[in-house]
Amino acid sequence: MSDQAAKPAKPARRSHAQAREEAINQIIDIATQEFVEKGLAGARIDEIAGRATKRKIYYYFDGKDELYRAVLERAYRRVRESEDAVDTDSGTALEALRRLIEHDVRYHSQHPELVRLVMNENIHRAEHLKQIEGLPQGNRKVIELLEKLIARGQAEGSMRAGIDPVDLHLNMTALSFYNVSNQFTFAHNFGVDMTSPEAVERRARQVADIIIAWVTHKD
């Protein structure tokens, strides 16, 4: 074997776009922790810059508010992308809906930062969400998915008429959200650990049972 053949291949050089995306994601990772822990009002660029650099932050973002919006936008985008990855095509509509519901419960439990960011943004009356271009359209994807599942379930005869997909999403999210938003007070008041893998799986099944009972109930 020649010396040339024996040399290990050099790693592929990152493109400028890849390097930029990695830098931005690193900043957003750090900023997410800061905003989750302290909220928008309490978060400080200097604290975020302690683990990145202030120069780099201001190279990509105009300031704290724009960085906060980037954190929110990524959190919402990631939950929607995770739902896109759920198999909602195979089996019956009720089976597909159960997979989606259980996924949502697990996702919220695994990503408490999403819950805390949403809680914080509600304190601000969605002031910053309103400034994120295209966010409602991105979130609309889950409503369109639920519309298809409802139509499929009704065609199969398993779901009742009159189910609003926005109501369905609201109920799914509310029941997924509580496990995270109230975990500390609930644990103190009732001695229940809502974060254990067993508790999360039990909650996922319960939420799916509750929602499916609602969509299948007929007067």
Side-chain angles (χ1 to χ4, degrees):
M1 182 181 296
S2 67
D3 291 341
Q4 186 174 358
K7 289 180 181 178
K10 291 183 179 180
R13 180 177 294 180
R14 293 178 304 165
S15 69
H16 177 72
Q18 288 172 323
R20 181 180 186 277
E21 184 178 355
E22 287 176 13
I24 290 173
N25 273 313
Q26 181 187 44
I27 293 169
I28 292 176
D29 285 341
I30 296 167
T32 297
Q33 297 173 32
E34 182 75 3
F35 289 126
V36 164
E37 291 172 10
K38 301 176 183 176
L40 176 60
R44 295 286 179 268
I45 287 289
D46 284 345
E47 292 294 322
I48 298 169
R51 287 170 285 172
T53 69
K54 188 177 287 190
R55 180 175 172 274
K56 186 182 287 186
I57 291 169
Y58 282 106
Y59 180 78
Y60 292 112
F61 303 98
D62 286 341
K64 186 170 75 168
D65 283 1
E66 186 181 4
L67 179 54
Y68 174 69
R69 289 193 293 272
V71 166
L72 282 174
E73 182 177 13
R74 192 181 72 170
Y76 272 98
R77 175 169 47 80
R78 283 183 169 179
V79 68
R80 298 286 88 90
E81 288 172 350
S82 77
E83 289 165 338
D84 286 343
V86 177
D87 174 16
T88 55
D89 294 324
S90 64
T92 66
L94 288 180
E95 289 169 343
L97 180 59
R98 175 175 287 276
R99 284 193 293 271
L100 185 61
I101 296 166
E102 291 186 354
H103 163 81
D104 276 2
V105 175
R106 295 186 189 108
Y107 188 92
H108 282 77
S109 294
Q110 292 162 2
H111 297 274
E113 73 280 359
L114 170 64
V115 173
R116 295 185 182 121
L117 288 167
V118 171
M119 291 169 67
N120 186 68
E121 184 58 10
N122 273 286
I123 292 171
H124 294 280
R125 300 177 182 269
E127 172 189 343
H128 297 85
L129 281 186
K130 292 171 185 175
Q131 299 178 55
I132 301 174
E133 188 176 348
L135 189 66
Q137 291 85 347
N139 282 320
R140 181 73 196 176
K141 290 193 301 182
V142 70
I143 304 302
E144 293 169 354
L145 172 59
L146 292 174
E147 284 176 337
K148 292 177 182 177
L149 285 177
I150 291 168
R152 193 165 119 209
Q154 290 169 342
E156 292 170 358
S158 60
M159 293 189 195
R160 62 178 174 82
I163 304 167
D164 186 318
V166 176
D167 285 344
L168 177 53
H169 175 60
L170 171 64
N171 289 326
M172 289 168 58
T173 303
L175 292 172
S176 299
F177 206 89
Y178 188 91
N179 245 36
V180 182
S181 65
N182 290 55
Q183 62 181 274
F184 300 109
T185 52
F186 202 88
H188 176 74
N189 289 328
F190 302 106
V192 176
D193 178 8
M194 301 168 76
T195 64
S196 70
E198 295 78 15
V200 172
E201 287 305 306
R202 183 170 63 251
R203 184 64 178 162
R205 291 192 299 272
Q206 289 172 351
V207 172
D209 288 344
I210 291 167
I211 298 293
I212 287 173
W214 176 66
V215 300
T216 58
H217 174 72
K218 297 177 183 177
D219 295 331

